[in-house]
Amino acid sequence: MKTLTLIFVLFITTNLFMYASGIVPDKSPRVDTTNADVKQVYDLFVNYLNSEPDKGYKNPCWNEADYQINLNRDNSKLDRSAYFLFMGMNSKQFYSIFKPYILLIDSIAPNRYIIKTLFEATDPKREVIGITKHYAVRNTEGEYKLENAMTYDTKDWNIFKSDFITYIVDPSIAFDSKEAEKSVKFCKEVANKLGLEIKPFKYYACANKNQLAGLYNFDYWIFGIKGLANSVVREVFSSYCNFYFPHEFIHLILPRRTDGHAPNIINEGIATWLGGPLPNKTYQEALAEVKVSIKNFENITIDRIIAQEIRNPADSNILYVTGALICETAYNLKGKDALMKLYFSNNKDLKKDLEEVFEMSFEEIEKMILSRLGVKQ
């Protein structure tokens, strides 16, 4: 048994040495590695950067308490920032484009340090992707391990229960029980309409979008995200100081796919048709706006809309509303089975599945949908 333990220790030590021999990030003069604790945290984080952080697995650099929360479902990520940071690239590819620069490692509580890292574009034409923040916490064995920001940052937030929704609310926001009841009613109506089951989920009500970014281990990010749903761990996040976000609810009501993702135009289309693009904007209001804004474009096709070549500078409403029109039309034509067929399609087969649902060629479907958007043929 002692021999096996020794082999395991040597394996981990060898791998950590291997990680540290890879990318070595630059660091600010503020990172005082002459301090023993700071040096330990710095070495830990460098090892982590070299341990394929884009992948979800039981990383030895990480706090074990996070494993059960974040690694118990398909396609889950241990590090919350990994959902946005790597943008589909593996970590080596990402670091070749965005070089990590450790800005600070500071003590913020006994046995707890914060690490802030700038991911600086090597190409001056690219925008900085963001600044991450991670916590390093000393465990009972005296070792520092990384931890997601969410648990610590929300430890003093208020918790409210409304049927199957658990609201975790920033203390500066007054809880609105009527809005919460409205949310429960909406979810039940949609689930009944589509013949789906509602599983419990959490709703994080944030004071602003920077606070939302913080819950995903970012001190700053380039994304203008004000709300999102994480179907992997069944959570909704809102920076609108509200308790009703129908668009994001749809993403949690729809069944989780284990074979990939629905085409974005369908996934967001269903959510927009049933819940509007934003909590304060209905599908019909968004459709009216898109009918005006789409007139600013030429050579409009559904393929170009999917590729986001046809889009407004500050939002994705054209894609969302086009998808909503497709989903609404499919449902009105053949009901929920047609809608689910499109939802369980993929980018490769979408056109073929659309033709099967609508019983017409894709060119005819495109002409019909674009006409309803007010595009002159």
Side-chain angles (χ1 to χ4, degrees), residues 126-192:
R126 282 183 176 266
E127 188 174 359
V128 170
I129 189 69
I131 298 172
T132 58
K133 68 169 187 178
H134 292 86
Y135 293 133
V137 184
R138 195 196 301 269
N139 62 19
T140 54
E141 287 77 37
E143 297 177 313
Y144 282 99
K145 297 291 182 180
L146 296 174
E147 177 185 277
N148 282 301
M150 179 178 290
T151 301
Y152 185 78
D153 286 4
T154 63
K155 61 184 173 61
D156 297 322
W157 288 26
N158 297 318
I159 298 176
F160 303 92
K161 187 87 172 175
S162 184
D163 204 316
F164 45 80
I165 307 174
T166 299
Y167 286 95
I168 298 122
V169 184
D170 178 275
S172 68
I173 305 171
F175 182 66
D176 187 334
S177 60
K178 289 184 177 180
E179 244 195 0
E181 291 170 4
K182 181 181 178 183
S183 295
V184 170
K185 181 181 178 182
F186 171 82
C187 290
K188 287 182 176 180
E189 287 175 348
V190 170
N192 183 61

Side-chain angles (χ1 to χ4, degrees), residues 238-281:
S238 174
S239 63
Y240 290 93
C241 300
N242 69 336
F243 306 95
Y244 178 69
F245 209 142
H247 181 99
E248 303 302 344
F249 292 156
I250 300 301
H251 290 309
L252 295 190
I253 295 171
L254 290 169
R256 264 200 45 78
R257 291 184 54 171
T258 58
D259 60 341
H261 301 282
N264 199 36
I265 193 170
I266 300 300
N267 193 38
E268 297 298 347
I270 298 174
T272 302
W273 165 47
L274 294 170
L278 298 171
N280 55 359
K281 184 174 292 183

Side-chain angles (χ1 to χ4, degrees), residues 16-224:
L16 292 182
F17 178 79
M18 177 190 70
Y19 297 155
S21 66
I23 183 169
V24 179
D26 292 332
K27 65 180 186 297
S28 161
R30 184 173 171 178
V31 180
D32 180 15
T33 51
T34 63
N35 178 295
D37 282 334
V38 172
K39 179 65 163 63
Q40 187 179 344
V41 171
Y42 171 79
D43 288 343
L44 168 72
F45 195 68
V46 172
N47 285 333
Y48 174 64
L49 291 176
N50 285 276
S51 66
E52 298 184 298
D54 54 292
K55 297 179 180 178
Y57 71 101
K58 290 187 176 182
N59 191 299
C61 300
W62 211 266
N63 188 331
E64 288 189 20
D66 272 348
Y67 293 165
Q68 183 60 33
I69 299 171
N70 297 290
L71 288 179
N72 58 350
R73 294 170 178 84
D74 294 333
N75 302 317
S76 58
K77 305 292 184 185
L78 181 57
D79 182 348
R80 293 255 174 177
S81 68
Y83 283 103
F84 295 95
L85 191 64
F86 298 106
M87 301 179 293
M89 293 181 273
N90 66 44
S91 54
K92 288 184 179 180
Q93 292 171 323
F94 178 78
Y95 295 147
S96 70
I97 301 172
F98 297 98
K99 188 175 180 181
Y101 179 83
I102 300 178
L103 296 170
L104 64 85
I105 299 175
D106 280 353
S107 174
I108 59 169
N111 299 315
R112 179 177 293 272
Y113 279 78
I114 188 170
I115 308 156
K116 293 190 179 182
T117 309
L118 168 70
F119 288 89
E120 187 176 20
T122 54
D123 181 350
K125 295 181 181 179
R126 282 183 176 266
E127 188 174 359
V128 170
I129 189 69
I131 298 172
T132 58
K133 68 169 187 178
H134 292 86
Y135 293 133
V137 184
R138 195 196 301 269
N139 62 19
T140 54
E141 287 77 37
E143 297 177 313
Y144 282 99
K145 297 291 182 180
L146 296 174
E147 177 185 277
N148 282 301
M150 179 178 290
T151 301
Y152 185 78
D153 286 4
T154 63
K155 61 184 173 61
D156 297 322
W157 288 26
N158 297 318
I159 298 176
F160 303 92
K161 187 87 172 175
S162 184
D163 204 316
F164 45 80
I165 307 174
T166 299
Y167 286 95
I168 298 122
V169 184
D170 178 275
S172 68
I173 305 171
F175 182 66
D176 187 334
S177 60
K178 289 184 177 180
E179 244 195 0
E181 291 170 4
K182 181 181 178 183
S183 295
V184 170
K185 181 181 178 182
F186 171 82
C187 290
K188 287 182 176 180
E189 287 175 348
V190 170
N192 183 61
K193 182 184 184 79
L194 301 182
L196 299 172
E197 177 189 358
I198 303 174
K199 296 179 181 178
F201 60 88
K202 295 178 181 178
Y203 185 116
Y204 288 85
C206 304
N208 52 62
K209 61 183 179 181
N210 292 329
Q211 189 179 65
L212 189 162
L215 298 187
Y216 269 79
N217 298 344
F218 278 89
D219 195 54
Y220 161 82
W221 63 13
I222 63 170
F223 317 110

